Amino acid sequence: MEKYSIRGLVGRLCEPDIPIFPLETELNLPNQRVINIDVLRTRSDLFKPNEKILLEQLLTYYCKTEKVTYKQGMNEILAPFLLLNRHNVPLHICYTCFKNFVAKFIPTLFVDDAFKPLSGLYIVTQLILKYHLPDLSTCFNNNEITPDIYMTTWYVTMFSSKIKEIGLLYIFWQYLIDTNDNLFIIYFGIALFEFFKQEIQSQEVMSLPNVFKKIFIGDYDTLQIVLQNSERIKANMPITADMILKKYNMFCLENTESFVKVLEKFTCLLILPREIIMQTYPHNVVCKCLDPRNCKTKRLKYLLIDCRPIKEQKNGYFINSHLLSKGAQKYPNKLLNYPKNFAILKKSTHIALMSSEENKDEENFVQKLFDSFIQHEFPYVSIVSGGYKSCHEFALLHSLEILSHKTKRCLACNNCNDPEKKTTESTLDNFFRIGNIQKTLIPIIKYDFTPTDKIYKCKINESQDIEESEFGLIVTEKQIYLYNIRRKEVIEIFDINQLTKIASNKTCPEYFSFTFSAEMPKRAFILRPEECKEFLIKVRNYFQALRNKNSSEIKLIE
């Protein structure tokens, strides 16, 4: 961890040569007195009288120009940026750094008068805390200590209230910017709890709110330890659990309430079938890289516990999975003590619980087992979204072996073969994957591409490494093919003359989404950045040729 530099911090948030703009404004907001009082007590030991005048002026200017009501927390974030002015940073640059910092990490927190994004952040915090520090999570839950009690000031001040020494705060903020991870403030908060855990656990429950207030980082060594622990917590997050949480963007105000309602139903972190299957099968089976030690795919040590009834386990199970015993399924006491069988794996292994996802009774059973692990203070416990059915589908789709698989008796197979009961992966998995890679059921008679046609390598979900992806896109005069390079077979065909729109993401220009006029769902793929322009020009040219030929009135938008 490098110590901060003023130039480095400013350079991460603002172009150094932006033109000067006026910051003067009348101090006449309806709640101007509140701003004035907050300014007087903001780092009162540091600010000079003229700097306090500037702080009130900039806060007022920000509220007016951003059209937001002043809220406590703004002052704690702006104050350290204003102090950069002492280091010959122009005032308009100080202000711009503050504005961009807020926009990057808590973009709408101060926009909403009810602080709605905080309600979502609290739920995410509880889920991550339960995964990494189940003992503290249980203690807080049993004593009705909710995140709003201990983390509100942490988030609304971006930890300015917990890192009093201004140089240390600059180090943390610079580090935070470099992570480019909106969940990192939660990882940092949990790491802070971990550092002070012994002190927290030694106190009476009634005095804990006061203990939380006294938690702070006072020296460089403490900050370094907490940041290192934050990185460890982040590294120990299941990649698909992290992905799920980030999809529920609490700062998107029009969706915040609906997202909160969904997350409130989460009792723990969920992981998607592709992650548990990719992690539990041998590396050489699921990855084409030659050296596992240098594999770019994030790998955690996983134990998959198959909680399905014994009769279902006998009809197929996954490599390296643990089959829950009949005794644990039958007797509540054995289920309660079942985690003791894995004591040697505690704190070193991620445990994923998998049901068949066929009935609510079984879901409740899995939840009871999950609760047993938490009571025994096991970290890293999650539930597989979609259960065996979705994992089974993923394994078959990728030609992975299922041990003792009896297709005639396998419930998942029978459901897949019955058109009326056919199911895809769970709702979460279906929602969060980028591309749909199910094979078409329509027999393909003839392709219009040749072996010399270029294959544009692509990936179908954000977690993949594009160089390890087995998929590619082939563009011909009339069609686009999704092609499995390894198997040398076509997965899907898209007619170019059915295209109504191609859109690329502004923040990720290699991400293309395709919209069709027929009753075909939207498709999305991520290409190599250096091939995006060539691919797009080729599609546009073929589309234009077909349009001229057919005089069609389809609008193609980049």
Side-chain angles (χ1 to χ4, degrees):
M1 183 178 69
E2 296 182 1
K3 294 194 175 184
Y4 81 98
S5 69
I6 297 298
R7 180 180 297 180
L9 179 62
V10 172
R12 287 165 167 81
L13 290 169
C14 177
E15 293 294 332
D17 55 352
I18 63 171
I20 297 175
F21 55 88
L23 293 164
E24 295 79 11
T25 186
E26 288 188 58
L27 306 180
N28 58 357
L29 289 174
N31 60 345
Q32 195 69 45
R33 179 171 171 75
V34 176
I35 300 176
N36 180 263
I37 292 173
D38 279 354
V39 164
L40 291 176
R41 61 190 180 195
T42 302
R43 296 188 181 265
S44 56
D45 57 329
L46 269 181
F47 276 94
K48 300 173 184 176
N50 66 311
E51 290 174 325
K52 291 181 180 179
I53 294 172
L54 282 175
L55 181 59
E56 183 176 1
Q57 177 184 317
L58 295 183
L59 286 169
T60 306
Y61 180 85
Y62 177 78
C63 292
K64 287 183 177 181
T65 56
E66 299 301 314
K67 296 180 173 56
V68 297
T69 304
Y70 170 78
K71 300 173 186 66
Q72 288 183 330
M74 293 178 181
N75 55 319
E76 295 287 356
I77 299 176
L78 176 55
F81 285 110
L82 177 56
L83 288 171
L84 292 173
N85 190 231
R86 294 180 180 180
H87 300 274
N88 299 319
V89 177
L91 195 60
H92 73 291
I93 298 290
C94 296
Y95 173 81
T96 302
C97 287
F98 156 72
K99 188 179 76 169
N100 290 346
F101 183 73
V102 171
K104 182 175 180 62
F105 291 103
I106 45 174
T108 58
L109 185 62
F110 297 131
V111 173
D112 182 70
D113 290 340
F115 285 106
K116 288 178 185 176
L118 280 179
S119 58
L121 290 177
Y122 293 154
I123 298 173
V124 175
T125 298
Q126 287 177 311
L127 291 171
I128 297 177
L129 181 67
K130 183 185 289 188
Y131 193 77
H132 294 279
L133 299 176
D135 49 352
L136 278 187
S137 175
T138 300
C139 172
F140 293 167
N141 288 337
N142 290 344
N143 294 285
E144 298 183 352
I145 298 175
T146 52
D148 59 291
I149 295 175
Y150 54 81
M151 279 192 164
T152 299
T153 58
W154 298 18
Y155 293 158
V156 299
T157 69
M158 293 303 288
F159 290 93
S160 175
S161 61
K162 292 298 167 187
I163 308 176
K164 297 296 185 182
E165 206 279 299
I166 202 72
L168 296 178
L169 183 63
Y170 289 152
I171 294 173
F172 169 63
W173 280 356
Q174 183 170 307
Y175 195 98
L176 178 64
I177 295 165
D178 289 341
T179 66
N180 196 31
D181 186 343
N182 289 333
L183 289 182
F184 194 80
I185 58 171
I186 297 178
Y187 300 146
F188 185 79
I190 292 173
L192 200 56
F193 270 142
E194 186 178 47
F195 186 84
F196 289 97
K197 186 167 76 168
Q198 187 174 350
E199 183 177 348
I200 292 171
Q201 291 178 326
S202 66
Q203 299 293 321
E204 294 292 332
V205 173
M206 295 299 292
S207 63
L208 283 181
N210 289 327
V211 174
F212 297 150
K213 290 179 182 178
K214 294 178 182 178
I215 288 176
F216 72 97
I217 293 176
D219 58 73
Y220 178 80
D221 290 340
T222 300
L223 177 60
Q224 188 174 33
I225 292 170
V226 175
L227 284 173
Q228 288 171 350
N229 289 343
S230 303
E231 289 290 356
R232 175 175 48 78
I233 290 170
K234 178 180 178 179
N236 276 321
M237 274 289 287
I239 188 169
T240 56
D242 181 87
M243 187 192 312
I244 289 170
L245 295 179
K246 285 177 179 173
K247 290 292 182 179
Y248 292 106
N249 179 8
M250 292 306 152
F251 296 107
C252 181
L253 290 181
E254 59 267 30
N255 294 323
T256 300
E257 290 185 1
S258 60
F259 285 168
V260 167
K261 288 179 181 178
V262 174
L263 286 175
E264 284 176 337
K265 297 177 182 178
F266 283 35
T267 57
C268 65
L269 290 187
L270 300 179
I271 64 170
L272 301 185
R274 64 170 172 265
E275 177 165 15
I276 190 63
I277 296 300
M278 296 287 284
Q279 299 277 12
T280 53
Y281 274 69
H283 180 270
N284 64 325
V285 174
V286 296
C287 186
K288 294 187 292 183
C289 74
L290 300 178
D291 186 359
R293 294 169 298 180
N294 297 320
C295 181
K296 295 180 181 179
T297 303
K298 178 180 176 180
R299 296 190 69 83
L300 301 171
K301 185 180 179 183
Y302 266 103
L303 172 67
L304 174 62
I305 300 182
D306 189 336
C307 303
R308 293 176 299 145
I310 299 298
K311 62 180 181 180
E312 291 186 33
Q313 294 174 355
K314 290 180 178 179
N315 295 324
Y317 59 92
F318 297 117
I319 293 174
N320 295 323
S321 61
H322 173 87
L323 305 181
L324 188 66
S325 70
K326 185 176 180 180
Q329 295 185 26
K330 188 175 181 180
Y331 302 107
N333 285 339
K334 287 191 175 183
L335 183 68
L336 182 63
N337 292 307
Y338 204 74
K340 292 180 180 180
N341 296 321
F342 308 99
I344 194 172
L345 303 179
K346 192 174 182 179
K347 298 184 180 180
S348 66
T349 302
H350 293 252
I351 296 173
L353 309 181
M354 180 184 68
S355 67
S356 61
E357 201 76 1
E358 289 296 327
N359 58 67
K360 292 297 179 183
D361 289 339
E362 192 177 335
E363 287 184 30
N364 293 335
F365 174 81
V366 171
Q367 186 61 50
K368 288 179 181 177
L369 180 57
F370 173 84
D371 292 340
S372 296
F373 273 103
I374 298 302
Q375 288 176 27
H376 286 84
E377 299 182 355
F378 272 75
Y380 314 141
V381 185
S382 61
I383 292 177
V384 181
S385 175
Y388 177 79
K389 183 169 60 178
S390 294
C391 293
H392 171 278
E393 181 180 337
F394 183 90
L396 292 184
L397 185 64
H398 293 276
S399 302
L400 299 174
E401 181 185 10
I402 300 176
L403 301 178
S404 301
H405 194 203
K406 302 177 181 65
T407 55
K408 292 183 179 180
R409 296 181 181 179
C410 174
L411 292 180
C413 282
N414 291 330
N415 281 338
C416 288
N417 292 333
D418 185 344
E420 294 184 0
K421 296 181 180 179
K422 183 175 177 59
T423 57
T424 58
E425 294 185 19
S426 69
T427 303
L428 274 174
D429 209 8
N430 190 49
F431 179 77
F432 289 120
R433 59 186 177 176
I434 295 176
N436 187 332
I437 57 173
Q438 293 178 330
K439 295 180 182 179
T440 176
L441 299 179
I442 302 173
I444 301 169
I445 300 173
K446 185 179 179 180
Y447 306 137
D448 65 346
F449 66 83
T450 67
T452 59
D453 283 323
K454 181 171 181 176
I455 300 175
Y456 295 89
K457 203 159 191 180
C458 67
K459 59 180 181 176
I460 57 172
N461 68 60
E462 293 164 301
S463 63
Q464 286 181 318
D465 184 325
I466 195 167
E467 297 306 323
E468 296 174 6
S469 172
E470 60 188 41
F471 298 104
L473 295 173
I474 300 174
V475 184
T476 67
E477 292 181 359
K478 296 181 179 179
Q479 293 172 318
I480 300 172
Y481 297 86
L482 176 60
Y483 189 71
N484 189 305
I485 301 170
R486 181 169 60 84
R487 298 180 189 172
K488 298 183 179 180
E489 62 183 17
V490 171
I491 305 299
E492 283 189 287
I493 301 177
F494 314 107
D495 291 325
I496 291 178
N497 63 2
Q498 293 295 311
L499 272 171
T500 58
K501 182 177 180 181
I502 299 179
S504 64
N505 191 310
K506 290 182 180 179
T507 59
C508 182
E510 62 269 27
Y511 177 114
F512 290 100
S513 64
F514 297 77
T515 305
F516 300 89
S517 58
E519 293 183 1
M520 179 180 288
K522 187 180 289 187
R523 294 289 188 264
F525 305 99
I526 298 177
L527 280 69
R528 289 179 173 130
E530 65 271 18
E531 294 182 338
C532 290
K533 186 175 181 180
E534 178 187 337
F535 172 82
L536 184 60
I537 291 174
K538 186 177 289 189
V539 174
R540 288 173 65 88
N541 288 343
Y542 286 146
F543 176 86
Q544 194 62 47
L546 288 171
R547 182 180 181 181
N548 294 338
K549 181 178 180 181
N550 300 325
S551 299
S552 130
E553 294 300 325
I554 301 173
K555 184 181 180 183
L556 187 62
I557 304 173
E558 180 177 345

